[in-house]
Amino acid sequence: MYFLHSDVALDAIEGVLGRRRVRGFTLERVVDLTEAGASVWQEAAVCDGRRLILWHSEELADAKAPGGTVLDSSVQVLPLDSIGHVGMRTLVGHDEVGRRIDRGVYVVLATAMPHELSAVQADPDSPLPVASAKFRPEAFRFSKSLDDGGAGQIARLIDFGRLLGRLVPS
């Protein structure tokens, strides 16, 4: 029920997952309001113990399609040993009676795969046109707050971050 196109998501993920068991998952959904109307971006991240399976979809305007939109759906599979960094930051507070509550969580996974490589210009007096290259690894970010997802999804994302922290090889 969280996704508008859960049938597409399940079909894509099951096609990759096969008979392997899901060890943990998290879901993301962002609704953007544009001049053309609402656009929904969705992502599921699923871990089966040795791989991270990422499903992503976005509704795209298509005047020729019934309803005026089509769904761009993609799957990406990463072996856990390609993840070189797992980071998790939590926002912890207290409720009205002083009990601890998790108010938000942010998880970042970084790989060694280059996402962006750009030249860094040399000193103007240098005879070389480029001094070095700036490398930015591919990173995946997930976040939940009480306003965006609520306590249940915060807990699920914390569990997902902890799972990946245990499983990613060091």
Side-chain angles (χ1 to χ4, degrees), residues 68-98:
T69 63
V70 294
L71 186 69
D72 180 4
S73 171
S74 66
V75 173
Q76 185 174 0
V77 180
L78 296 158
L80 290 182
D81 62 6
S82 71
I83 298 171
H85 171 82
V86 177
M88 183 167 62
R89 191 173 74 211
T90 56
L91 182 60
V92 180
H94 293 91
D95 65 12
E96 302 79 29
V97 295

Side-chain angles (χ1 to χ4, degrees), residues 32-64:
D32 286 327
L33 299 176
T34 66
E35 292 178 13
S39 171
V40 180
W41 179 91
Q42 305 171 115
E43 183 174 45
V46 176
C47 178
D48 68 2
R50 57 185 183 105
R51 301 173 298 175
L52 180 65
I53 302 164
L54 299 164
W55 173 80
H56 163 260
S57 79
E58 185 173 11
E59 287 185 332
L60 303 174
D62 184 346
K64 297 176 186 171

Side-chain angles (χ1 to χ4, degrees), residues 7-29:
D7 59 327
V8 176
L10 288 172
D11 184 54
I13 293 167
E14 286 175 348
V16 173
L17 195 58
R19 298 171 77 65
R20 293 196 56 90
R21 185 173 71 96
V22 171
R23 301 275 307 269
F25 71 97
T26 189
L27 307 172
E28 295 282 324
R29 180 180 65 194

